[in-house]
Amino acid sequence: MASIIRQPQCRRQASGSKDLVGIKMGGMDDLSRQIAFLEQHSEYARRWLQAQPQWREWLRTYGCEKIDANGIERLLKTVALDGLSGADEAEFMARLRLTRQRLMLWLAFRDLNGLASLNEVTQGLSHFAQFAVNDCIAFIRKDLQERFGLPWSQTTNSEMPLMVVGMGKLGGYELNLSSDIDLIFLYEHEGDTQGGPKSLSNHEWFTRMGKRLIKLLSEHDENGFVFRVDMRLRPNGDSGPLVCSLDMLEEYLLVQGREWERYAWIKGRLIASSPGSADYEHCEKALDQLIRPFVYRRHLDYGVIASIRDLHAQIQREAEKRSAAYQGRSRDIKLGRGGIREIEFLAQMFQLMRGGTDPRFRVRPTLEVLTLVQQRGILPKEDVVALEAAYVFLRRLEHRIQVWDDQQTHYLFDDDLARSRLATTMGFSDENSFLAELEHHQNSVARLFEKAFLLNDETRLDLSPPDQSWEPDGAVFPQSLLRWQAWLASPKERLLPEKSRSIFNSLMRSAAERLAAKRGDNPGSDQTLLRFFNLLEAIARRSAYLSILAEYPQALINVLALLKASQWGAQYLTAHPHLLDYLLNSHTEKVLIERPEEYWREVKANVNLRLDDVMADGGGSEQAMDILRVTHHTETFITLLTDLGIGVDQALSVEKVSDHLSALADFILETTIERVWPAVVKKFDLPPKIAPKFAVIAYGKLGGKELGYASDLDLVFLYQARENDFDAQEIYGLLAKRMINWLTAFTSTGSLFEIDTRLRPNGSAGFLVTNTDAFKKYQMRKGDNAAWVWEHQALTRARFSAGSLSVGSEFDAVRSEVLSQKRDIEHLRAEILNMRRKVHEGHPNTSGDFDLKHDAGGMVDIEFIVQFLVLAYSHRCPQLIGNLGNIALLRIAGEVGLIQQSAAIEVGDAYRLLRARQHRLRLDGAEKTRIGMTVEPELIAARKCVLHFWQEIFKAPSSV
């Protein structure tokens, strides 16, 4: 190792960052200058290079190499730790400590000379800590095995390992140059050791190992130490046992686990057994099953905001006490205002809030969390960029403070010389510019932290004790007043926790004040407040949901806007209160409108990640069904917000709304096939990788991409197989049945869709799944079993929705062939007219109001006209075959001369108007979309236009 190997001159890492040291390069003695720079700015390095002069040559050889896990493993192998016996403990400790010092010099050399990224430094130290822990365990194990045998796992029928969990910065691969390491020692279950001259309980065996492990890492000798070890994060802290079984840990978390421990366990990572070892996967899975439900809630957890705010305030108070001699907390770059801890708290807040519903937030490194926050549109890009820049700056500064004398400190040096030295190592020409940059970053972090945690009390809901005499103004809110008085006298109100009752009352008062202030613009104030009351009553016992409205004034404003605009939306939000999260910002809606393909790719990736998470072991089907339901609720609600113009500059048209809802249904169907099929494969013992030759064909509203918020789905299931392949029919029949169950079953989160399969060949009397060859024969009327005209009408609005593309292509070919047949136009006209009159009979209307959909001159008339044009003329106008929607097909019919172009435009506009009015009535909760026409000149004109056009096409009225 002492031999000199010629290496290329080190070059600084390419970066525009200010904190890279400006060392002049260009002479033959660059490495010597870099080593001199290291000694100048690290008293620790200077001492060790004097004590171990051969390390200078080692730095010349390896200083230019990037430090990674492989390099650290090579470094450890050079000291042959695995060749020592239990009697060589002092030698083992000496070798490990000298290895630590050499690694520290390597890291310090690269960091101070601007050769290493922040990740290289923090990950390098974290990898070394992990390797050191495992090497120590292996050393101790040999001795304990010879004396007491080994603990034995009843689960795996093999040796039971010590599980070491790295917490804090070690867990997040974020160790700094003088970090201690936070550890928790666990083992699988109780029992006694086997195979030794004496036996110990598993607890005693692992306790002995744990004590010796701490000694090997943290005890000082003439070579220093490896890591300070902190065990206070274990169950019950210093008063708890040093090691505990998984059963003990589970009981502790269930009974005594505190809120701050949730934050701590975010970073928890199994570091021993070593990743990649035979025991690791088993141990990690067992640990994850305990920790995940403790840390991450199954809903968006906004209750953590107040908890983290309280914890931060406590840390601030402690930091102020410790910083009294350092001229204020701003000198503490970790715990002070705008420090590293505030950035970490921000990241942890988003993890705790969202990690239960989005597995991507379960990553550990802070910078990865911030990147995800930006990608998800939770914070603006410029805010995340500022936080990332501050984090890198402060962590680099932390290293330069600590590398001076290998001290675990986060305070700026007091004397000018030391600060000038810091400025130089951070890449600044003078102390003032360095301090100005530091202040800039701390102010940015403090501002963003205050904004995220609403530290300004004026921006949050006033939770001071409410005026007991307050009630809604009866002149403005007569119905709400009665409801309020009944609520105060109800047992539900009395059973609420005091804090929840305070939030409930304050929210009602705040909502009433906002609505009363704008009652001139809002004649439905009383109705809106009643809807708000319904929502509050639904979430009154869910403090996390109350917290959203209490913490974020914008959420309350958007809720009231939604409740005012739509009764259906009010009911939907009340049924699914987790959707409150989407009233906080508009980033998601904007992406949906502006970049829909990117949006759906992101949705699919997220859902697949979550489904993989719950179905990893072949189970979790009910959880998977819940994930699909929550996804459908979420995407429906986001579409609703864009529909109502909440959070976006311009509301969506009804056509765009239907496009989004139809795309969502297609996505749900496709995902359902993908997740149900493996179970069918397993049941029939099919090849694991076989793909289903199966497709879902959408008819009706989904087929025409005119889906509404509460529409059912008209579906037909097709498959490819030989004509008499009854096995295939059984396989795909089961697939279809399980799909329908996934889509219609009512779980704790509700259901997805009502499914109607009566449009399949032979309707309810036919098979649930149909062979594509049989489907073609049926539609082409080959044989006695043949499709009716109304079934060909339905086919004009049918399309491939999900499943096998080859089956979808075959359906498209059949559809095209059927629609392009030459027909007897007069006979077709009579058939469709007769069918239209039957539909009229099925929807009688004696109200005197106009039914926008079913009455003569309504939407169904236009749809029947388009279907007639497609079936009558597609044989000579193939442009009509495409499933393009009624308005586009009318336009095409006008362009090819089948109808007058002016009529096509007028009837198309009428259809658009009727759909828009129907849509708004549905949003306001109407079951039947009927409207009085006396003061609706626009509707009167549209209906008259449709009636005239119907008469021209069919030569007879649509109703008798």
Side-chain angles (χ1 to χ4, degrees), residues 582-867:
Y582 295 91
L583 288 161
L584 296 183
N585 62 66
S586 59
H587 301 294
T588 304
E589 295 92 304
K590 288 180 179 177
V591 177
L592 173 62
I593 293 172
E594 296 170 3
R595 303 188 298 278
E597 291 184 4
E598 174 189 330
Y599 181 86
W600 288 114
R601 279 197 304 272
E602 175 74 10
V603 170
K604 184 173 181 62
N606 183 27
V607 170
N608 281 334
L609 184 68
R610 295 168 62 191
L611 290 172
D612 290 343
D613 192 40
V614 300
M615 300 186 76
D617 301 318
S621 60
E622 184 166 345
Q623 287 177 280
M625 290 163 68
D626 283 344
I627 287 170
L628 286 186
R629 280 151 179 74
V630 170
T631 299
H632 186 261
H633 299 157
T634 299
E635 301 308 323
T636 299
F637 191 68
I638 290 170
T639 302
L640 174 66
L641 295 180
T642 58
D643 185 4
L644 298 174
I646 296 174
V648 292
D649 297 329
Q650 186 172 358
L652 285 182
S653 66
V654 65
E655 290 92 341
K656 288 291 185 182
V657 169
S658 291
D659 284 346
H660 290 313
L661 294 175
S662 300
L664 173 59
D666 290 347
F667 165 72
I668 295 290
L669 290 170
E670 184 69 44
T671 304
T672 302
I673 293 174
E674 292 171 357
R675 298 296 168 165
V676 170
W677 175 243
V680 176
V681 167
K682 186 176 181 180
K683 179 174 177 61
F684 288 98
D685 199 22
L686 301 174
K689 299 295 184 181
I690 190 172
K693 294 183 178 180
F694 173 91
V696 179
I697 308 302
Y699 279 69
K701 288 188 179 299
L702 179 57
K705 293 189 176 181
E706 294 181 350
L707 207 63
Y709 289 110
S711 298
D712 59 4
L713 305 186
D714 294 294
L715 304 179
V716 169
F717 302 111
L718 299 182
Y719 68 94
Q720 280 178 338
R722 296 186 307 275
E723 186 172 357
N724 294 316
D725 188 343
F726 299 113
D727 288 343
Q729 186 177 56
E730 183 181 4
I731 290 167
Y732 292 121
L734 180 62
L735 174 59
K737 287 176 183 176
R738 290 193 173 179
M739 275 192 69
I740 292 172
N741 179 60
W742 265 52
L743 296 167
T744 60
F746 196 88
T747 73
S748 60
T749 53
S751 62
L752 280 168
F753 300 105
E754 292 293 326
I755 304 295
D756 192 333
T757 61
R758 290 176 295 176
L759 287 175
R760 66 186 187 268
N762 297 307
S764 299
F767 291 113
L768 182 60
V769 294
T770 306
N771 189 309
T772 50
D773 290 338
F775 181 78
K776 180 176 180 179
K777 289 178 182 178
Y778 180 81
Q779 294 292 346
M780 295 298 294
R781 297 176 172 173
K782 295 179 180 179
D784 296 334
N785 189 27
W788 297 75
V789 170
W790 67 264
E791 291 178 283
H792 286 179
Q793 285 181 251
L795 199 62
T796 65
R797 286 163 58 85
R799 64 179 178 85
F800 166 71
S801 175
S804 166
L805 293 174
S806 64
V807 180
S809 297
E810 191 167 346
F811 164 77
D812 287 339
V814 171
R815 179 180 178 276
S816 180
E817 188 174 353
V818 170
L819 297 185
S820 59
Q821 286 178 309
K822 190 172 183 178
R823 292 173 170 82
D824 182 325
I825 292 181
E826 290 306 319
H827 178 71
L828 177 67
R829 181 180 281 116
E831 287 268 11
I832 291 181
L833 180 60
N834 183 49
M835 178 56 62
R836 176 68 185 99
R837 289 173 173 173
K838 287 182 179 179
V839 172
H840 263 302
E841 292 172 7
H843 296 85
N845 177 15
T846 58
S847 68
D849 292 336
F850 174 51
D851 189 312
L852 297 171
K853 181 175 181 180
H854 293 290
D855 279 356
M859 293 165 61
V860 174
D861 273 10
I862 300 172
E863 291 165 359
F864 270 57
I865 289 170
V866 172
Q867 291 162 14

Side-chain angles (χ1 to χ4, degrees), residues 859-932:
M859 293 165 61
V860 174
D861 273 10
I862 300 172
E863 291 165 359
F864 270 57
I865 289 170
V866 172
Q867 291 162 14
F868 169 76
L869 293 172
V870 171
L871 293 175
Y873 300 108
S874 287
H875 69 281
R876 62 185 176 92
C877 300
Q879 305 97 309
L880 293 170
I881 293 174
N883 187 352
L884 305 174
N886 292 298
I887 295 173
L889 290 171
L890 282 168
R891 176 180 51 77
I892 291 170
E895 290 172 352
V896 299
L898 298 177
I899 58 177
Q900 292 184 359
Q901 284 188 283
S902 59
I905 293 171
E906 289 173 1
V907 175
D909 288 344
Y911 189 72
R912 184 178 288 111
L913 174 65
L914 292 168
R915 275 196 69 195
R917 293 302 299 275
Q918 180 197 48
H919 184 67
R920 290 298 143 187
L921 287 171
R922 293 282 190 213
L923 281 179
D924 214 30
E927 286 188 26
K928 296 183 181 295
T929 52
R930 295 172 178 172
I931 195 165

Side-chain angles (χ1 to χ4, degrees), residues 13 15 17 19-20 66-67 107 110-111 114-126 169 172-177 340 343 365-367 387-400:
Q13 175 180 292
S15 171
S17 175
D19 60 339
L20 294 181
K66 181 178 179 181
I67 303 172
L107 286 163
R110 291 184 57 76
D111 188 34
L115 301 168
S117 67
L118 175 62
N119 278 345
E120 180 181 332
V121 177
T122 58
Q123 290 182 15
L125 275 165
S126 302
K169 285 185 165 55
Y173 289 101
E174 296 169 325
L175 285 182
N176 58 51
L177 285 176
I340 296 167
I343 304 173
T366 300
L367 287 175
L387 288 169
E388 290 173 337
Y391 183 79
V392 172
F393 182 92
L394 292 170
R395 289 302 308 273
R396 283 187 172 279
L397 177 57
E398 174 186 49
H399 291 164
R400 282 151 176 77

Side-chain angles (χ1 to χ4, degrees), residues 47 111 126 192 377 409 426 512 515 533 616 628 726 736 766 885 904:
R47 288 198 307 268
D111 188 34
S126 302
D192 297 306
T409 178
M426 290 295 289
L515 292 170
F533 202 110
L628 286 186
F726 299 113

